[in-house]
Amino acid sequence: MTVPQQILHLLRWEIRAEWQNRYALGSILLYVIATTVLVYFAVREFSAMTYNALYWVVLFFGATVAGSRSFLREGGRRHYYYYTLAAPEALLVSKFLYNTLVIFVISLLAWGLMNFFARTNFVSETGYFLIAVLLGSFGLSAILTFVAALAARAGGSSTLMAILSFPLVVPLLYLLVNAGGHAVGLTSGQEEQYLLLGVAIDLLALAVGLVLFPFVWRD
């Protein structure tokens, strides 16, 4: 099979495997719900600033939990078997696409829950906010998927993943918080630059992963 065919086949397998073990995906969604409820108990009265900040906090930790599971099934020596079946790039892209989908679902769930508990929707620029969320899902997936691969090859330590991912996601989170600030009416100006820089970071993270992952997977 060609690499695109391998990507589609692996993506379908990833979705089917997750659907057969729905408790794992359900635990991630439950984590997001519990985190949002805890945020509501702590804040009670939301403002546009707290709404924007807490939304990205919830999304980041939900994405981290989702991304950390990327290579659990390829632990031990099973990766040798996968290495004979598909190109490393196809495996990485399939997991990246699946994580992007999961993180985007998490972002929509967190948005709906935040609106429910805040009793209002602070987002005035809905289209802009959705684009920022999509770019955030793309970038977080690209970074966390590759870092999860590194952590898996180093023994699967979640502590190592947290250490490696934090400095990489800080620039992206900075842009997302600023983009979200514009969407809720806190700031004006430079909104296009936030999105363009977000696109640049997303593409850079994906490109670095595609270049380095074959060497990590072959090791």
Side-chain angles (χ1 to χ4, degrees):
M1 291 189 294
T2 63
V3 172
Q5 290 175 330
Q6 292 177 7
I7 292 173
L8 292 176
H9 182 79
L10 289 169
L11 180 59
R12 286 196 299 267
W13 179 86
E14 193 79 23
I15 294 173
R16 185 166 58 250
E18 286 292 341
W19 182 252
Q20 292 173 351
N21 298 281
R22 292 186 291 273
Y23 68 89
L25 184 59
S27 65
I28 297 174
L29 299 180
L30 180 61
Y31 176 86
V32 175
I33 295 172
T35 305
T36 309
V37 171
L38 182 61
V39 164
Y40 167 70
F41 288 154
V43 178
R44 296 286 182 173
E45 297 296 331
F46 286 87
S47 65
M49 183 176 294
T50 57
Y51 178 94
N52 180 54
L54 293 174
Y55 172 80
W56 296 111
V57 169
V58 172
L59 177 57
F60 168 67
F61 284 106
T64 302
V65 173
S68 64
R69 302 178 55 257
S70 297
F71 289 87
L72 287 180
R73 283 188 292 270
E74 291 76 21
R77 296 188 177 275
R78 188 178 296 181
H79 71 279
Y80 290 122
Y81 175 66
Y82 285 89
Y83 190 76
T84 62
L85 294 179
E89 297 84 356
L91 180 62
L92 180 68
V93 172
S94 64
K95 291 186 176 295
F96 156 73
L97 292 175
Y98 176 76
N99 285 336
T100 301
L101 177 62
V102 172
I103 294 173
F104 187 68
V105 171
I106 289 174
S107 67
L108 295 181
L109 175 62
W111 187 15
L113 290 172
M114 292 288 289
N115 291 341
F116 174 77
F117 288 118
R119 299 183 181 87
T120 185
N121 182 12
F122 286 96
V123 178
S124 57
E125 299 284 345
T126 303
Y128 182 89
F129 186 74
L130 284 174
I131 294 174
V133 167
L134 185 59
L135 290 177
S137 302
F138 189 101
L140 289 172
S141 175
I143 294 171
L144 294 174
T145 301
F146 178 64
V147 172
L150 292 177
R153 300 301 298 123
S157 172
S158 57
T159 303
L160 177 62
M161 180 174 176
I163 294 173
L164 292 176
S165 62
F166 181 73
L168 298 177
V169 299
V170 166
L172 178 62
L173 290 176
Y174 173 79
L175 294 174
L176 293 177
V177 169
N178 282 279
H182 171 74
V184 299
L186 291 175
T187 61
S188 61
Q190 294 186 326
E191 55 271 13
E192 293 183 359
Q193 286 84 343
Y194 295 141
L195 296 183
L196 291 176
L197 288 174
V199 171
I201 291 177
D202 292 355
L203 294 178
L204 179 62
L206 182 60
V208 170
L210 288 173
V211 171
L212 297 181
F213 180 74
F215 299 99
V216 174
W217 196 243
R218 190 179 299 118
D219 185 17

